[in-house]
Amino acid sequence: MGFQNRRDFFKTSLLLTAGITGISSKKNKAASLDGPSENRMGVLVDTTVCIGCRSCEWACKTTHGLPTKPIDSYLDRSVYDKKRRPDEHALTVVNEYDNPNNPLLPTDVKVQCMHCEEPACVSACIVGAFTKHPEGAVTWDTDKCIGCRYCMVACPFQVPSFEYSKAVQPKIMKCDFCFERTKEGKLPACVEVCPTEALTYGNRNELIEIAKQRIKRQPDKYYNHILGEAEIGGTSWLYLAGQDFGKLDFPKLGRDPAPGVTEAIQHGIFSYFIPPIALFALLGSVMWINRSKNNGEEK
Amino acid sequence: MKYFVFIVITYLSLSTFSFPQEVIHNQVNLECNTCHTCEVPTKNDPCLIECPRPKMQKEFPSSETGPDIFIMDELENRYLPVVFTHKLHAQMSDMTGGCLACHHYNTLGPILRCNQCHSEKRKRTDISKPDLMAAYHQQCLDCHRQWSHKNDCTSCHAEKKGNESFDRSEISSELTQKTHPEVKKPVKIIYQTDCKEGKLVTFFHDQHINIFGLDCISCHKNENCISCHDPAKVKNGKQHNFDKPIMVNISETERHQRCFGCHENDKCSLCHKNSEMKPFDHSLRTGWALNKNHLKLECTACHTKDKGFTKLENECVSCHRNWNSETFDHKVTGLMLDEIHIEFDCSDCHLDRDFSRRPSCGNCHDDKNFPNNKPGKLVN
């Protein structure tokens, strides 16, 4: 391979990369401007209605083929003694908190992936194993995943978990919004099984309207906030509660999408490939100065 | 001509149809948002909450006239139908929001079946209202969860075993006839307070009902089942003992709110004492002993409602306005005057027209006095 060819290769590859980066950064910007589509689905979790029966936990495990005890064992309320997090064995869990308004009716809160409108995990995944579907679900592709676990670090709700116990083909585990079931026109398993319909599945915009109506009609019962309506750019799963969400272990999050900062830096560094070119130009010029110095010394 | 008659009849029928609705609309004392979803309902867009109301009805029947039981069998799948003891629950609801506690958004309509608004399907187009199963569970569990502290299905549901079928005729009379036992009413409750001027407040429960004429719901509007049925209390044997002073774990404002409906302008010392109070006695409190006819009267017969229980004039005529020496029939006092004495003026015997003092015979007789000598004969 001659010197001339090598230079040509660099030239073309440089042009190509610049072109691709330019296009992809444009795409990313367009996606965040459009916002969620009109027919995006979601689930409204009304924690004031949840009775903490944990049927959803059972239904989730059964649907996703995870090992589970029989449903009758879920009546045991001693699990509420400590707070649990979703993990590789349970994609959703219910925790119980004291209710300052009525000590006899504790607040039960189901926890699972929130299916962000602008998911940090999708942004953080370096191989594109995560997908945000137009219907709302954020899913994970086992064939693409390389197990870097960046998604776990990126998630503002700390939801994705990793099958550390498996040596061969460990998976990232998280709620997939019952993507397969909803594709067939079925409801998510947890929504279908909930005895009190604390979980309502429907169009996200419609759910926000319903949540607003509930707060308006019973201002004494509800804390005046829909969690997930605006947090980190919005989430497909929305929550209503009778008390401050901070007391229910929800992280305090701003309105800006979680990937916003990281993407701004990353896309800033590579935008139109100017910073790398500038860097290489700087290094090149240093080299050139040094070479001319050397040449002078040699002379 | 026929066409004209048709128009007139149509117009009349339409106007009679819309008229009563508007009259009732003006009379009802309800929050607008009980029926309407928007701030300003208009004729074109009344934004009514979706519940069919073909006929207006203002009052619910009493708990006694409603059905004894109601069989919930729409969702017969995993469990046998639920036999809901309607009468028992209706009796309990008398102190917890009445029929409306369950028959919500049904204020002015005939009583509808739950499934007229609540769909039997979980997957449906209108998701603003819970489906039927959720509606039942939300209604029942709100109370049951509080007093059983658990979510067991089997307290209402019998689980289906094989092809077992449900036979309505086999529902035991124990269930159909089940009624709430009569609520035991305490005679008095002594409250221990932290008020420095008077630590004890004695509340005479029976007198407030029997003498002052209060209904249960005048105070017990939003009672919860668990105010009586808390299993934790029953288990520990901590039933209320009304002979000893009790502490109430509610805020000062809330405590006073219950009495202030009537006692707002009374002094603290009316209720707050350092020792247990004696029951209300009209003669001790007011110096006016009630006897015979007055004892039979309701308080409000003399203390008219708009004036409250304020002090009245001691003069008979301040209440009995038409009484004078000609119209007064002395027989009502228990003494029928004889032919001689009936002719006299009141003040001849009741000196200075003071009817609270013993009458005097001294104006005419030197050797006679009341009650040893009577100016007539006693009657009952």
Side-chain angles (χ1 to χ4, degrees):
Chain A
M1 200 183 274
F3 181 74
Q4 208 63 4
N5 279 345
R6 200 175 136 91
R7 186 181 265 180
D8 279 348
F9 168 74
F10 274 125
K11 264 186 193 167
T12 42
S13 60
L14 219 138
L15 276 171
L16 266 173
T17 334
I20 289 163
T21 328
I23 292 162
S24 60
S25 70
K26 261 182 206 163
K27 241 188 193 170
N28 272 328
K29 269 177 195 162
S32 60
L33 278 177
D34 283 351
S37 70
E38 277 302 302
N39 44 21
R40 183 150 289 180
M41 303 303 275
V43 169
L44 176 65
V45 185
D46 192 335
T47 59
T48 65
V49 174
C50 178
I51 55 167
C53 68
R54 295 169 59 221
S55 302
C56 49
E57 290 185 23
W58 174 84
C60 179
K61 284 185 181 175
T62 312
T63 305
H64 291 90
L66 294 166
T68 170
K69 286 179 191 165
I71 192 161
D72 293 335
S73 69
Y74 283 74
L75 281 171
D76 173 25
R77 293 184 83 82
S78 64
V79 289
Y80 289 130
D81 292 346
K82 58 181 180 200
K83 302 285 177 275
R84 299 174 301 150
R85 295 287 311 164
D87 57 24
E88 66 271 29
H89 310 296
L91 309 184
T92 183
V93 292
V94 181
N95 284 322
E96 194 162 271
Y97 299 86
D98 289 338
N99 179 1
N101 305 325
N102 184 349
L104 291 165
L105 283 180
T107 307
D108 296 295
V109 183
K110 180 182 182 296
V111 191
Q112 74 298 307
C113 171
M114 299 288 282
H115 299 275
C116 303
E117 292 303 330
E118 294 179 51
C121 52
V122 175
S123 167
C125 184
I126 50 174
V127 289
F130 276 91
T131 315
K132 173 77 182 174
H133 296 274
E135 303 85 17
V138 175
T139 59
W140 172 84
D141 185 350
T142 176
D143 294 335
K144 287 184 186 166
C145 180
I146 54 167
C148 70
R149 283 162 275 149
Y150 279 9
C151 50
M152 293 168 68
V153 183
C155 177
F157 298 98
Q158 298 171 18
V159 164
S161 44
F162 187 69
E163 288 183 313
Y164 287 106
S165 52
K166 270 195 193 169
V168 185
Q169 283 228 320
K171 283 186 201 159
I172 290 284
M173 300 292 278
K174 74 167 204 65
C175 159
D176 63 352
F177 210 162
C178 282
F179 188 64
E180 293 304 320
R181 285 176 61 95
T182 50
K183 219 162 56 180
E184 292 166 18
K186 287 187 199 161
L187 290 168
C190 53
V191 175
E192 191 178 77
V193 81
C194 180
T196 58
E197 210 173 271
L199 312 169
T200 314
Y201 176 80
N203 181 288
R204 185 175 179 271
N205 293 340
E206 200 181 336
L207 290 176
I208 290 174
E209 280 315 306
I210 290 170
K212 282 181 181 163
Q213 279 293 329
R214 288 193 196 169
I215 295 174
K216 195 177 145 198
R217 296 179 63 77
Q218 287 174 290
D220 298 337
K221 184 178 171 185
Y222 290 104
Y223 181 74
N224 188 11
H225 183 70
I226 307 167
L227 187 114
E229 186 191 2
E231 274 84 0
I232 54 163
T235 56
S236 292
W237 280 60
L238 306 156
Y239 280 76
L240 281 176
Q243 54 176 312
D244 187 352
F245 286 99
K247 299 222 169 71
L248 305 176
D249 286 348
F250 281 99
K252 222 178 168 94
L253 299 165
R255 298 170 75 96
D256 295 328
V261 186
T262 47
E263 279 185 11
I265 297 167
Q266 288 206 346
H267 297 169
I269 288 173
F270 293 104
S271 70
Y272 302 107
F273 228 66
I274 293 168
I277 290 171
L279 182 70
F280 285 124
L282 185 78
L283 291 172
S285 55
V286 170
M287 267 171 71
W288 187 73
I289 291 166
N290 283 346
R291 201 170 62 170
S292 53
K293 262 187 191 171
N294 287 344
N295 282 349
E297 277 169 16
E298 272 172 28
K299 272 173 192 175
Chain B
M1 186 60 195
K2 266 185 189 169
Y3 185 66
F4 177 70
V5 170
F6 173 74
I7 289 178
V8 168
I9 289 172
T10 323
Y11 176 76
L12 280 177
S13 58
L14 276 177
S15 57
T16 45
F17 175 72
S18 61
F19 183 62
Q21 278 189 346
E22 281 182 18
V23 169
I24 287 170
H25 203 257
N26 290 337
Q27 287 168 348
V28 291
N29 184 19
L30 283 172
E31 293 288 324
C32 306
N33 68 6
T34 310
C35 302
H36 301 279
T37 54
C38 53
E39 297 277 330
V40 189
T42 60
K43 268 203 169 150
N44 292 332
D45 179 20
C47 60
L48 281 169
I49 286 169
E50 216 181 293
C51 260
R53 289 185 187 78
K55 217 168 76 188
M56 294 285 189
Q57 175 180 316
K58 276 191 92 172
E59 278 177 12
F60 282 106
S62 79
S63 53
E64 301 305 318
T65 53
D68 293 340
I69 55 163
F70 181 78
I71 298 162
M72 298 171 167
D73 56 357
E74 293 97 333
L75 302 164
E76 200 179 348
N77 184 11
R78 190 177 158 197
Y79 298 99
L80 292 172
V82 171
V83 181
F84 174 69
T85 45
H86 184 276
K87 186 186 260 179
L88 175 70
H89 282 83
Q91 286 172 332
M92 288 188 280
S93 83
D94 284 347
M95 287 209 262
T96 57
C99 306
L100 281 173
C102 295
H103 296 284
H104 55 184
Y105 308 137
N106 202 188
T107 351
L108 297 172
I111 292 167
L112 303 171
R113 288 178 70 94
C114 305
N115 64 5
Q116 283 189 267
C117 296
H118 297 282
S119 160
E120 284 164 32
K121 289 187 183 122
R122 176 63 48 104
K123 194 168 164 60
R124 57 197 189 274
T125 44
D126 178 15
I127 49 170
S128 62
K129 298 181 284 279
D131 69 2
L132 189 62
M133 178 176 75
Y136 283 151
H137 282 150
Q138 285 186 18
Q139 287 287 7
C140 305
L141 282 164
D142 208 31
C143 290
H144 278 250
R145 195 150 73 100
Q146 290 188 59
W147 78 296
S148 71
H149 300 296
K150 51 186 181 184
N151 298 326
D152 59 328
C153 310
T154 45
S155 60
C156 302
H157 296 277
E159 205 152 353
K160 222 178 195 176
K161 287 165 196 149
N163 282 332
E164 202 179 341
S165 65
F166 182 74
D167 188 357
R168 278 162 193 256
S169 61
E170 275 182 21
I171 301 170
S172 68
S173 59
E174 202 184 313
L175 266 183
T176 54
Q177 301 303 318
K178 201 170 182 179
T179 53
H180 194 271
E182 203 191 338
V183 178
K184 273 187 207 159
K185 300 179 192 103
V187 175
K188 65 176 179 205
I189 306 166
I190 311 160
Y191 294 103
Q192 177 89 44
T193 72
D194 43 17
C195 171
K196 278 176 191 158
E197 281 86 50
K199 283 197 162 47
L200 294 181
V201 173
T202 320
F203 174 72
F204 287 94
H205 192 273
D206 66 335
Q207 289 199 325
H208 276 82
I209 299 167
N210 300 332
I211 299 183
F212 309 132
L214 294 179
D215 291 327
C216 302
I217 54 161
S218 324
C219 301
H220 302 279
K221 259 184 224 130
N222 287 313
E223 236 27 270
N224 195 317
C225 309
I226 53 114
S227 13
C228 304
H229 290 283
D230 191 349
K233 273 186 193 161
V234 175
K235 213 174 170 184
N236 299 337
K238 274 189 188 168
Q239 292 276 39
H240 281 312
N241 177 4
F242 293 111
D243 297 330
K244 287 179 184 164
I246 54 166
M247 292 285 278
V248 184
N249 197 15
I250 50 174
S251 73
E252 192 181 321
T253 349
E254 220 177 317
R255 281 200 299 258
H256 285 120
Q257 210 63 48
R258 300 187 175 189
C259 307
F260 275 8
C262 301
H263 294 289
E264 197 177 2
N265 299 320
D266 289 323
K267 285 181 194 157
C268 304
S269 60
L270 179 75
C271 305
H272 286 274
K273 311 267 184 201
N274 281 317
S275 58
E276 192 190 319
M277 246 161 76
K278 292 218 163 68
F280 176 79
D281 183 320
H282 203 275
S283 70
L284 281 178
R285 179 77 64 84
T286 68
W288 171 280
L290 296 179
N291 46 30
K292 284 198 83 177
N293 296 330
H294 285 127
L295 203 56
K296 292 178 203 154
L297 294 173
E298 295 273 332
C299 306
T300 49
C302 305
H303 301 277
T304 47
K305 269 184 183 160
D306 48 328
K307 282 182 188 162
F309 291 101
T310 48
K311 188 179 183 296
L312 302 173
E313 294 290 328
N314 278 356
E315 296 281 320
C316 302
V317 286
S318 64
C319 291
H320 303 281
R321 289 174 195 282
N322 55 349
W323 279 4
N324 56 42
S325 41
E326 278 163 26
T327 58
F328 181 67
D329 182 1
H330 207 281
K331 205 164 77 181
V332 297
T333 66
L335 180 85
M336 193 163 75
L337 295 177
D338 55 28
E339 283 168 4
I340 305 157
H341 287 93
I342 207 164
E343 298 297 326
F344 296 142
D345 189 70
C346 307
S347 58
D348 289 341
C349 306
H350 299 283
L351 301 179
D352 302 328
R353 296 181 76 87
D354 184 350
F355 300 100
S356 61
R357 283 209 330 239
R358 187 180 288 180
S360 155
C361 309
N363 266 356
C364 309
H365 310 280
D366 289 333
D367 55 341
K368 291 191 175 164
N369 63 23
F370 188 82
N372 293 337
N373 306 101
K374 295 183 179 68
K377 63 175 182 184
L378 293 175
V379 288
N380 286 322

